[in-house]
Amino acid sequence: MQKKTKVIAFANNKGGSGKSTTCSNVGYALTLEGYRVLLVDADMQQNLSLSFFAEEDVLDFSESGENLYTALCEERDAREFIRKTKYENLDLLPSGVLMSSAEYELYKKPQKETVLSRVLAGVKESGEYDFILIDSPPTLGMLVMNVMCAADHLLIPIEASPWGLFGLANMLEFFGKASDINEDLSLLGVAITKANERKNYFKQTKETLSEIEGVRLFENYIRVDSAVEWAQDNSAPVLAYKKSSRSAKEYYELTKEMLKYVSR
């Protein structure tokens, strides 16, 4: 019996949460565990695409129209636009700058909440990937609704900063609305990123999140590490760029913890 492809959405309406970085590194870590992974960049900032391809390549994906925006607007099979990364078992469906117009385009369509689901249907049915990870824009609009309606699980990265928790209540409310449409959607949990254990607001963030009923707080968190920025500058996940770094080890442990809660 063919295993079902699991789709995980990475979303937070608060910018700077480490969402794209978490998505890219969890994706790469899953390949180290033997899984086949497709990353989907649904953010007009294209940070997930830039995590694996040089800037000129990402610009070419954007200008050529060979990206998720075209797939959504024309409701074409996502497989037409998938690019192979230089890493084994790790592919990418890139974003484009026109993704900023996706909200408008989606609202014009019938069954507008499930356009992305239809675009990804062929990929899921093919069984080519064990996991599809989707990076979302930092908004709570129709595009993010599409991401959640296409997903089995939601993971919310949260920055350990004075503003990190801002908007979480709205995020959870939006998740509830998406769950009404997509009954298969579950909240995997929240993962703390950019943590500095010497700062009081890290402890406050951890304490506040642990007290939210019905929301899992991952035990593993990601501390501030310059290796992450160097990896981004080299268009690579930190696990590939410097696997001995603290953040690389932390992302790997976070991924293994996440796997415990993802039904296979």
Side-chain angles (χ1 to χ4, degrees):
M1 182 178 175
Q2 182 176 295
K3 290 182 178 179
K4 180 185 175 186
T5 300
K6 289 295 181 182
V7 184
I8 304 175
F10 291 71
N12 190 332
N13 54 313
K14 168 74 173 61
S17 64
K19 176 176 50 59
S20 302
T21 306
T22 303
C23 184
S24 64
N25 280 284
V26 168
Y28 181 76
L30 285 170
T31 68
L32 299 180
E33 290 291 290
Y35 295 105
R36 299 161 300 163
V37 179
L38 172 65
L39 300 172
V40 179
D41 191 348
D43 189 351
M44 65 286 296
Q45 296 178 79
Q46 302 170 276
N47 288 334
L48 185 62
S49 300
L50 288 165
S51 297
F52 295 93
F53 291 94
E55 193 172 330
E56 55 268 26
D57 294 324
V58 174
L59 184 62
D60 181 61
F61 299 157
S62 185
E63 292 180 343
S64 68
E66 299 291 311
N67 54 57
L68 179 60
Y69 178 74
T70 301
L72 288 173
C73 290
E74 301 178 9
E75 289 201 42
R76 287 163 62 182
D77 191 321
R79 289 174 289 184
E80 296 179 43
F81 307 102
I82 291 173
R83 307 289 179 129
K84 290 195 173 295
T85 73
K86 63 183 178 181
Y87 305 108
E88 188 177 1
N89 293 325
L90 187 61
D91 297 340
L92 173 79
L93 175 54
S95 178
V97 292
L98 289 177
M99 284 296 290
S100 57
S101 304
E103 296 284 324
Y104 173 74
E105 296 296 335
L106 289 169
Y107 267 107
K108 294 191 296 183
K109 293 183 174 292
Q111 297 178 303
K112 55 185 179 292
E113 298 90 353
T114 56
V115 179
L116 181 57
S117 295
R118 300 195 291 274
V119 165
L120 292 175
V123 183
K124 291 182 68 175
E125 290 166 8
S126 73
E128 187 174 347
Y129 301 99
D130 299 301
F131 287 95
I132 298 174
L133 309 187
I134 310 175
D135 186 27
S136 312
T139 61
L140 291 180
M142 186 49 62
L143 180 53
V144 177
M145 179 61 75
N146 264 261
V147 171
M148 291 195 190
C149 285
D152 301 298
H153 305 283
L154 170 65
L155 191 152
I156 307 174
I158 292 182
E159 179 186 9
S161 74
W163 299 104
L165 292 170
F166 183 77
L168 179 60
N170 291 336
M171 185 77 209
L172 294 175
E173 182 182 353
F174 193 84
F175 163 75
K177 292 177 181 177
S179 300
D180 290 339
I181 301 171
N182 177 13
E183 295 179 353
D184 294 328
L185 180 64
S186 70
L187 179 58
L188 265 184
V190 295
I192 297 176
T193 64
K194 301 182 182 180
N196 186 334
E197 293 168 315
R198 293 173 295 180
K199 301 286 187 179
N200 284 332
Y201 52 72
F202 165 68
K203 298 172 186 174
Q204 292 168 1
T205 300
K206 193 175 180 182
E207 188 175 307
T208 301
L209 290 172
S210 65
E211 292 174 352
I212 301 177
E213 189 175 349
V215 176
R216 176 187 293 115
L217 173 62
F218 285 102
E219 292 179 12
N220 289 283
Y221 54 86
I222 313 301
R223 286 175 284 183
V224 175
D225 187 353
S226 60
V228 172
E229 294 175 350
W230 283 109
Q232 291 169 342
D233 193 48
N234 285 272
S235 300
V238 71
L239 273 156
Y241 178 74
K242 191 175 182 181
K243 64 180 181 180
S244 63
S245 65
R246 182 174 67 187
S247 56
K249 295 172 183 176
E250 289 169 349
Y251 274 119
Y252 191 58
E253 290 304 315
L254 174 65
T255 302
K256 289 198 292 184
E257 182 182 0
M258 183 197 78
L259 281 170
K260 292 193 297 185
Y261 304 118
V262 177
S263 56
R264 296 297 301 153

